[in-house]
Amino acid sequence: MKKKNTSFYINKIWINVLLWILVIVVIYPLFWIFINSLKTNQNLFINTFNIPTDPLFSNYVDAWNMGLSGYFLNSIIVGSISILATVTIGAFCAYGLSRVESKWKMMIYYLIIGGLLLSPQSALISLYRILEFFHIYNTYLAMILPYIAFRLPFAIFLMYTYFKDFPKELEDSALIDGCTTFTTFTKIVIPISKPILSTVSIMTAIFVWNEFLFAMVFLEDSKLYTIPIGLYNFKDALTTNWTVLLAGIIIATVPIIILFLFMSKSFIRGLTEGSVKG
Amino acid sequence: MNKKILVLLVLCLLVISSFLYAADEKVQIKFLHRWTQYMDYFEEIVKEFEEAHPNIDVEMQAISNDPFKEKIKIVLGTNEAPDVFFSWPGEFTNRFIRADKVLDITPYLEEDGWLETFIPSQIAPFIYEGKYYGTPFRLDGKVFFYNKVLFEKAGIEKVPGTFDELIEDCQKLEKIGVTPIAFGNIKPWAVSHYIGTLNQKMVTDETRYTDLDPAEGTWTDPGYVEALEKYVELIPYFNDFVNALTHDDARATFFNSNAAMMYLEIVEVPELEMYAGDELKENWGVFVFPDIPEGKGNQNYLTGYPEGFVVSGTTKHPEEAVEFLKFLTGKTAGKLEVEMLGWINGIKNVVGPEDNVPKGILETVDLVLNAEEMVNWLDSSLSAKVWDAYSVQLQMLTDGYSTPEKVMEAVQKAAAEVRKEFE
Amino acid sequence: MRKKNKTYLLYILPALLFIIIFVYVPIFQNFYFSLFNMNSYTDKWTFVGLSHYLNIVKDPIFYTALKNNTLYAVFSLIFQVGFGLFLAILLDSKFVGKKLKVLFRNIYFLPSLISITAVALMFYFIYNPNIGMLNGFLDMLGLGQWKTAWLANPNTAIYSVIAMSQWQYTGYIMVLLLVAIQKIPKDLYEAAEIDGASEIQKAFHITIPGVKGMLVATSIITVIGSFKLFTEVYVTTGGGPYNTTQVLGTYMYRSAFLFDEMGYGSAVAVIIFIITFTTSLLQIKLSNRNKG
C-alpha cells in the first residue's frame, strides 16, 4: 500500500509540473507581448523582458485611433449580419428539410451538405469575379454573402440533426390548433432549440473573427476592413512603431478572451460540436 | 403565411440594392494613392480641390506601399477602378497601358500649355510609345547618406569617389566597430535599388534598354554578372539579418548612429530630419553612388525616377479626372507638398528663394535636377515575373545561397518565358 | 399536406440558392477558368487547355508548397493529435485536481480563440532577430550562437511557422479529445481497476479505443486544415525567404494576384480542391465505419 502511494505522488508531481510548464508556454508569450505594448519604442529596443515602471497606455489610444476602432465596428457589423443570416436562413432550411416529404429531399440534403467538402480557397478567384458581376466587390456584402454561403452547410448539418430528432407531438398539436408552419416553427421549435442556435452562432462568430483571405481580396477600401485585415495592414503602416502594433494586437485579442472567461462552457460546447476550425 | 417570407425576401433585396446605388448628382471621382501615413496632406488637397470645383466630389482611398502593388491589379479589373490612381512609370504602368487601363492624356497636356509647366526630365518617364500617360507627383533619386561623425572617427577624410574607395572606407569603419552600411531587405525592392544602379554602371545604355523591353530582353550581357559581383563585395559590410529586417528597421539603426551609411532616397530627408538622433541630424551628408571606372555604363547617371498619377482608361469622367490630376500635380498642390511633406513635385520652380525649404531638401533635389540622366527603379521597370525571379535570387545571393551566375541564369529563364507572351 | 410541403420547400430555397451561387458556381467555374490564360485587369482570354496543369507539375515551387503542406500536416498530427491526446489523458487522470483540470483546460484552449492574424503578428515579433523573445531567451541561456532570423532563415522558417500553429491549436484539439474521453462510461474504468490495471494499461485499453472516432475526426480536421493553410504563412513570411515557405494557398494567391495569372491560379485552386475534397470524403467514410 505504501509503495503505491509513493508512485502515486511521483506521478502526481511530474504530471502537475509538466502541466504548469505548459501553462507558462501558453501564457508567457501573451504576457511578454502585453508588457512590451506598454513601453516606448526606445525602451523596447533596450530591453524586452523588463516590466515597464511607468506603463504607457497611449499606445492603446494610438492604435485605437489609427483605425482599429473602425475595424472593430466592421467586424461587429459583418459578424452580426453573418451570424443572424446564417442562423435564420440555416434554421429555416434545416427545419424545412427535416419536415418536407419529397423525393428530392435527400438529394437537396446532400447537395447542401456537400458544400462542407469544398474549401473556400478553391472558390476565391471565381468568387471575386462573381462579386464583381453583382457589383458588390468592395462592400460589406462582398464578405457577408460568401461567409454566409460557406457557413450554411455546416450550420444546416448541425441543425438538421437536431430538428430531425425533435419530438413531433408538440408541433402536431400546434398545427391542429390552427397554427401555421411559420408560427409553429418560430413559437415552438425555435425556443427549445437555443443550444444548437448558440452553437451555430459561436461557430460563425469565430469564423468571421478569423477570416482573412476573402477580406483581403474582396475589399479595397480600408474603411471596410475587418480586424484581421486591418491588423495586418498595421504591420505595414507601423514598420518602426512596434509598440503600437503590439497594443493593437492586444486590443484585438482581449474581447474574445473576456467573452470566453464569461461563457467558457458554451464556447467549448460550440467549438467541440462544430469541430471544424478555420 | 408565405407572405411573411416574401416580405422578408423583398426587405433583403432592398437592403442589398441600397448598398449598390447611392444616389448622387455630383460627378464622383475615385482617387487612389499609396500614402496611408500622410492622409492629412491628401485630405487637404482634396478639400481645396472640391472647394474650387463644387460639382466634383473626390472619394479618396489609400493602400500602403506593398499591398498597393498587389491590390492595384485586382482593382483595375473591377468596376471599382479608381479614376485617378498612383503608379510607377515603367513596366509597372506599361502593362496597364497595354490593357487600355490608363488614359492617354497627351491631348490635355498639349491643349493649354500644361505640358510646359513640367520639368521635362520629370514628365518624360510617363511617355509610352510617344504618348503621355501620367504626370509626376514627386521627384526622387537614390544616394548614399552618411554620418559625418562616424566617418571622422574612422579617419575617412573625403567621401568615396570610386567603388574601391567605398570598400576601403567600409573596412575603416568596421575597424572602429561600426556597421558600415545599414540595409533592410525583407521586401526586396530595397535590393533592387542597389542592383539597378550597379547594372546601369556596368552595362551600356543600349543593352540595358533592350533588356528592359519585356518583348526583347535576354539579360545575357556579362555586365549583369559583374554588377552582382560588385554587390557581393558589399555584402560583408551590411548589418546582420539583412533579409529579416524591413527598410525602416535598418534605417532606425542609421538614424541612431549605429551604422555609418545607408543607401536612401532623397524623399527620406524629411523623415531623417524628424526621426534621426541629434548626432546625425546635425552631421549628415550625401554622396552619389561611387563610380566604377571599368564599367561600360555612363557613370554620371543617377538612380531614381519620379512617381506620379495616371487617369484610368475606363473612367466615365475623363474631363473631371484630368482636372483633378492637374490640381494634384500642379503648382499650388506642389507648394503645399513641400511645406507639409518636404517633397518636390515635377513642376518647374515650385519652390523659390522666398519659400523656407530646408537646405537638405534643396541640395539633394539639385542632385536629381543636375543628373545627366535618371535611371528607373529596377523593380518597377521589370515585368512581375522577371522581377520575381530576380528578387528571389538576390535575396539568396545576399544570404550566400546563390552566385551571380545563378542569379542571371534564373533571370534569363524568366525573361524567356515573358518574351513568349509577346510573340 | 401538399400545401405545407410547398412551404417547407420555400424554407429550404434561400439557403440552397446561397450555397449554389456562392459555393458551387465558383468552384465549377474555377475548373473552367483553369483552362484559360487570363489576368485580373484585361478581358483577353486565350484557351490553353491543360497546359497550366503541365506547368504546375514542372514548377519546383509547387513541390515546395506540397512538401510544406505535408510537413505541416505531419507535425500537426504529432503535436495536436498525438500530444493533445497525451495531455487530455493526463488532464482526465486522477493525478490532477478537479479545479485545476478546468483551469488547465481553459488556459490551453485560450490560444485557439485569438485570431490567426493576431497570433501570426505576435510570433512575427517573437521571432524578430534583434528584439524578439526567442533570441532574447537564447541570449539569457548563453546560447547566443543559436540566434537566427527565424522567419528569414530558409532552414528554420517553415518550422517556425509550424511551431506557431502548434502553440495555437494543440489545446483546441486536446479539448475535443477531452470531451470525447469524458463520454466514456466510468464503469469501464472501475471494472479495470478491480482487475488491477495500471493507468497506462487503462489508457491503452479503454481510453484510446474509446475515443477512436474522435481521433479519426481530429486527424482529418488537422490534415484538411494543413492543406487550407494561408493566413499563418502569408502574415509571417509571405512565402519567403525565397519561396521556401510557400504553401498551396499562398502559391495560388501569388499566381493569381501577384503575377496576374488567374488561369494558372485557378489550376492551383483545382488542385487544392482535389486534395481537400478527397480528404473530406475519406473523413466521411472513416467516421461512418467507426459509427457502425
Side-chain angles (χ1 to χ4, degrees):
Chain A
M1 202 61 201
K2 202 182 170 222
K3 192 174 165 246
K4 196 182 176 192
N5 262 336
T6 3
S7 79
F8 176 84
Y9 282 113
I10 289 172
N11 278 332
K12 192 174 167 124
I13 288 167
W14 76 258
I15 288 173
N16 278 280
V17 167
L18 175 74
L19 294 175
W20 279 110
I21 290 174
L22 288 174
V23 167
I24 295 171
V25 170
V26 170
I27 296 294
Y28 189 78
L30 296 169
F31 174 73
W32 183 78
I33 296 282
F34 176 68
I35 55 172
N36 285 313
S37 73
L38 298 172
K39 293 179 185 170
T40 62
N41 252 314
Q42 281 84 351
N43 286 336
L44 182 74
F45 277 88
I46 296 166
N47 187 349
T48 56
F49 290 98
N50 63 340
I51 294 168
T53 40
D54 49 342
L56 190 74
F57 289 97
S58 65
N59 288 332
Y60 285 79
V61 179
D62 290 348
W64 185 251
N65 291 337
M66 267 196 64
L68 209 56
S69 53
Y71 306 150
F72 247 96
L73 190 69
N74 291 332
S75 271
I76 290 170
I77 292 172
V78 172
S80 41
I81 298 179
S82 306
I83 292 169
L84 209 70
T86 308
V87 170
T88 316
I89 299 173
F92 269 104
C93 176
Y95 181 67
L97 261 181
S98 66
R99 298 293 180 267
V100 77
E101 284 157 27
S102 155
K103 57 180 174 177
W104 301 106
K105 175 177 162 160
M106 280 334 264
M107 211 197 93
I108 296 175
Y109 176 71
Y110 283 123
L111 188 67
I112 289 172
I113 303 305
L116 270 175
L117 308 182
L118 310 174
S119 91
Q121 270 185 21
S122 25
L124 179 76
I125 296 168
S126 24
L127 251 184
Y128 145 75
R129 295 201 162 245
I130 290 170
L131 296 172
E132 181 49 29
F133 175 79
F134 284 125
H135 289 253
I136 51 175
Y137 171 80
N138 195 29
T139 62
Y140 283 134
L141 285 179
M143 288 178 281
I144 293 170
L145 298 183
Y147 288 175
I148 298 170
F150 275 95
R151 284 288 95 185
L152 272 177
F154 199 67
I156 292 170
F157 169 71
L158 286 180
M159 292 194 273
Y160 175 78
T161 333
Y162 193 87
F163 294 149
K164 204 178 52 170
D165 304 331
F166 199 79
K168 298 217 170 63
E169 293 80 19
L170 268 174
E171 284 174 63
D172 289 342
S173 59
L175 284 171
I176 290 161
D177 287 348
C179 287
T180 62
T181 53
F182 186 80
T183 46
T184 315
F185 179 56
T186 51
K187 295 267 157 62
I188 294 172
V189 180
I190 289 290
I192 319 178
S193 312
K194 278 197 182 126
I196 196 74
L197 298 183
S198 77
T199 297
V200 171
S201 306
I202 288 176
M203 267 173 45
T204 313
I206 290 191
F207 174 80
V208 174
W209 186 249
N210 261 317
E211 209 290 324
F212 182 84
L213 186 58
F214 282 2
M216 179 169 74
V217 175
F218 300 154
L219 290 184
E220 171 208 349
D221 191 347
S222 56
K223 290 182 212 87
L224 300 178
Y225 285 173
T226 49
I227 291 178
I229 197 75
L231 263 187
Y232 176 70
N233 250 46
F234 260 40
K235 180 185 153 194
D236 264 311
L238 293 170
T239 43
T240 46
N241 213 344
W242 275 107
T243 51
V244 176
L245 174 64
L246 298 182
I249 295 172
I250 298 284
I251 296 178
T253 305
V254 163
I256 197 117
I257 290 183
I258 290 176
L259 214 62
F260 173 67
L261 292 180
F262 278 104
M263 35 196 289
S264 59
K265 269 204 184 126
S266 49
F267 257 84
I268 287 184
R269 199 190 49 226
L271 274 168
T272 47
E273 280 172 35
S275 52
V276 168
K277 65 177 180 188
Chain B
M1 60 196 160
N2 293 347
K3 274 181 196 153
K4 282 188 184 159
I5 303 156
L6 212 70
V7 168
L8 226 98
L9 277 174
V10 170
L11 262 171
C12 279
L13 279 174
L14 274 177
V15 173
I16 293 172
S17 53
S18 66
F19 275 96
L20 303 182
Y21 304 103
D24 207 334
E25 304 106 40
K26 279 188 185 176
V27 173
Q28 212 185 40
I29 297 285
K30 272 189 71 177
F31 165 47
L32 177 67
H33 65 83
R34 66 165 187 92
W35 282 286
T36 44
Q37 66 275 49
Y38 300 120
M39 293 303 273
D40 301 354
Y41 168 73
F42 289 97
E43 272 158 18
E44 181 63 30
I45 291 295
V46 166
K47 203 184 93 198
E48 285 185 20
F49 177 76
E50 284 177 341
E51 273 165 15
H53 302 82
N55 63 320
I56 306 177
D57 183 25
V58 178
E59 191 202 325
M60 175 168 70
Q61 292 183 358
I63 304 173
S64 58
N65 188 35
D66 288 298
F68 179 88
K69 294 172 192 169
E70 304 173 16
K71 209 78 211 196
I72 186 68
K73 288 176 255 187
I74 306 176
V75 174
L76 287 185
T78 69
N79 307 309
E80 289 278 304
D83 300 284
V84 176
F85 59 95
F86 171 84
S87 199
W88 285 278
E91 181 55 23
F92 188 90
T93 307
N94 297 348
R95 60 190 165 159
F96 298 137
I97 298 175
R98 288 194 294 271
D100 299 324
K101 294 293 175 192
V102 184
L103 188 73
D104 170 12
I105 55 168
T106 319
Y108 300 97
L109 275 164
E110 286 172 346
E111 202 173 51
D112 51 1
W114 183 22
L115 182 60
E116 281 70 47
T117 63
F118 290 102
I119 303 165
S121 69
Q122 296 302 311
I123 184 119
F126 294 88
I127 300 173
Y128 180 73
E129 296 185 341
K131 302 266 171 50
Y132 288 93
Y133 286 94
T135 52
F137 171 72
R138 70 170 187 186
L139 53 79
D140 199 0
K142 192 91 176 180
V143 290
F144 271 104
F145 283 58
Y146 71 102
N147 186 318
K148 288 182 176 166
V149 177
L150 293 177
F151 265 49
E152 203 171 301
K153 261 188 208 159
I156 302 167
E157 276 143 20
K158 66 173 190 55
V159 295
T162 65
F163 191 80
D164 293 338
E165 284 172 27
L166 176 68
I167 299 289
E168 279 165 30
D169 291 345
C170 285
Q171 286 162 348
K172 284 181 194 161
L173 286 160
E174 201 154 58
K175 268 198 198 111
I176 62 158
V178 169
T179 303
I181 303 173
F183 186 30
N185 190 40
I186 197 167
K187 299 283 180 187
W189 59 259
V191 72
S192 87
H193 294 179
Y194 274 103
I195 306 306
T197 307
L198 286 165
N199 281 352
Q200 183 273 319
K201 291 193 182 294
M202 299 307 289
V203 172
T204 64
D205 280 1
E206 201 195 341
T207 317
R208 192 164 53 88
Y209 283 125
T210 316
D211 286 332
L212 285 178
D213 181 348
E216 301 283 334
T218 55
W219 298 87
T220 47
D221 193 282
Y224 295 115
V225 174
E226 289 159 30
L228 293 174
E229 282 162 356
K230 292 284 169 199
Y231 173 71
V232 171
E233 282 183 54
L234 280 177
I235 294 173
Y237 305 107
F238 296 144
N239 45 259
D240 288 340
F241 309 128
V242 165
N243 286 335
L245 300 181
T246 63
H247 175 75
D248 293 20
D249 279 338
R251 200 177 60 183
T253 64
F254 174 66
F255 282 180
N256 298 327
S257 301
N258 291 323
M261 282 180 264
M262 191 162 182
Y263 198 33
L264 291 173
E265 292 166 52
I266 65 162
V267 293
E268 292 173 88
V269 170
E271 282 165 286
L272 185 150
E273 291 188 328
M274 198 181 293
Y275 301 117
D278 293 334
E279 183 188 300
L280 184 72
K281 230 181 243 177
E282 306 297 324
N283 298 291
W284 62 274
V286 298
F287 59 90
V288 295
F289 199 101
D291 294 351
I292 304 176
E294 71 269 29
K296 291 195 204 86
N298 187 320
Q299 302 300 312
N300 299 324
Y301 289 2
L302 186 66
T303 300
Y305 230 36
E307 297 165 311
F309 285 94
V310 299
V311 174
S312 162
T314 54
T315 178
K316 290 184 194 76
H317 312 289
E319 300 286 333
E320 288 82 359
V322 168
E323 197 59 35
F324 181 63
L325 182 72
K326 213 178 244 182
F327 185 79
L328 181 66
T329 57
K331 196 155 190 168
T332 322
K335 282 211 182 276
L336 194 67
E337 192 179 329
V338 186
E339 196 187 308
M340 287 179 72
L341 306 175
W343 299 337
I344 309 283
N345 72 6
I347 299 285
K348 287 174 188 157
N349 308 317
V350 160
V351 284
E354 75 281 4
D355 297 291
N356 187 20
V357 180
K359 228 175 73 199
I361 293 175
L362 288 181
E363 279 172 9
T364 50
V365 166
D366 272 346
L367 289 174
V368 172
L369 296 179
N370 296 331
E372 202 175 310
E373 196 175 308
M374 297 302 289
V375 182
N376 195 358
W377 310 112
L378 184 64
D379 56 348
S380 48
S381 52
L382 294 179
S383 72
K385 224 179 200 167
V386 174
W387 171 238
D388 180 68
Y390 223 145
S391 63
V392 162
Q393 286 289 328
L394 285 174
Q395 285 195 323
M396 292 176 75
L397 182 69
T398 310
D399 280 347
Y401 289 103
S402 187
T403 63
E405 290 79 14
K406 276 193 206 154
V407 175
M408 290 324 294
E409 270 168 36
V411 172
Q412 287 156 9
K413 207 175 137 225
E417 278 172 38
V418 172
R419 277 201 312 275
K420 260 190 236 157
E421 290 165 23
F422 285 85
E423 274 163 10
Chain C
M1 199 59 209
R2 170 148 287 199
K3 196 172 159 215
K4 235 168 61 192
N5 245 341
K6 261 192 189 159
T7 318
Y8 288 140
L9 283 173
L10 203 66
Y11 287 170
I12 298 172
L13 195 65
L16 197 61
L17 281 179
F18 253 100
I19 293 172
I20 288 175
I21 296 177
F22 293 106
V23 178
Y24 280 97
V25 171
I27 296 223
F28 283 105
Q29 209 182 13
N30 197 69
F31 281 99
Y32 178 70
F33 284 174
S34 74
L35 306 176
F36 289 86
N37 243 343
M38 53 191 262
N39 69 25
S40 44
Y41 53 86
T42 51
D43 307 321
K44 291 170 205 138
W45 290 34
T46 35
F47 182 78
V48 295
L50 293 174
S51 73
H52 286 317
Y53 293 93
L54 294 176
N55 286 331
I56 289 175
V57 179
K58 275 190 272 174
D59 187 349
I61 299 173
F62 170 68
Y63 293 100
T64 310
L66 212 55
K67 189 195 89 199
N68 286 336
N69 282 113
T70 313
L71 264 181
Y72 200 95
V74 170
F75 276 93
S76 300
L77 280 176
I78 295 172
F79 274 89
Q80 295 175 27
V81 183
F83 189 61
L85 176 69
F86 175 65
L87 278 184
I89 292 173
L90 289 190
L91 271 195
D92 196 56
S93 71
K94 59 184 178 190
F95 302 113
V96 183
K98 259 214 170 108
K99 278 194 177 149
L100 273 181
K101 192 177 292 186
V102 176
L103 179 78
F104 285 141
R105 183 198 66 184
N106 285 357
I107 288 178
Y108 297 164
F109 187 71
L110 200 75
S112 68
L113 291 167
I114 308 170
S115 84
I116 296 171
T117 317
V119 169
L121 287 171
M122 275 183 205
F123 276 80
Y124 180 71
F125 187 53
I126 286 170
Y127 289 138
N128 181 293
N130 291 333
I131 50 173
M133 188 179 92
L134 195 52
N135 279 353
F137 274 146
L138 290 175
D139 263 339
M140 279 183 207
L141 297 171
L143 296 169
Q145 73 276 15
W146 288 8
K147 289 199 306 185
T148 185
W150 297 96
L151 292 171
N153 179 337
N155 301 317
T156 56
I158 190 66
Y159 298 100
S160 304
V161 179
I162 291 173
M164 171 185 95
S165 289
Q166 309 317 312
W167 179 85
Q168 189 174 14
Y169 283 117
T170 302
Y172 171 75
I173 299 290
M174 184 209 75
V175 168
L176 291 182
L177 291 166
L178 189 61
V179 170
I181 289 176
Q182 283 162 350
K183 280 186 188 149
I184 298 173
K186 288 282 166 289
D187 45 347
L188 283 179
Y189 290 101
E190 283 157 15
E193 257 163 50
I194 291 166
D195 292 347
S198 70
E199 293 298 318
I200 295 171
Q201 283 169 327
K202 276 192 277 177
F204 275 100
H205 292 119
I206 303 171
T207 314
I208 294 177
V211 295
K212 214 172 109 198
M214 191 49 116
L215 273 178
V216 172
T218 49
S219 302
I220 304 257
I221 293 171
T222 315
V223 172
I224 295 177
S226 304
F227 281 90
K228 283 182 179 173
L229 208 59
F230 179 82
T231 316
E232 290 89 336
V233 173
Y234 187 81
V235 175
T236 49
T237 68
Y242 6 107
N243 294 319
T244 50
T245 59
Q246 293 289 357
V247 289
L248 290 173
T250 53
Y251 181 56
M252 172 194 71
Y253 178 80
R254 169 181 181 271
S255 318
F257 297 106
L258 295 187
F259 293 162
D260 320 326
E261 291 172 341
M262 291 231 157
Y264 192 90
S266 297
V268 180
V270 168
I271 293 173
I272 298 176
F273 167 80
I274 293 171
I275 293 172
T276 50
F277 186 79
T278 45
T279 327
S280 305
L281 277 183
L282 197 74
Q283 170 179 30
I284 293 173
K285 220 174 165 191
L286 284 177
S287 57
N288 279 346
R289 189 188 295 163
N290 271 302
K291 260 181 215 157

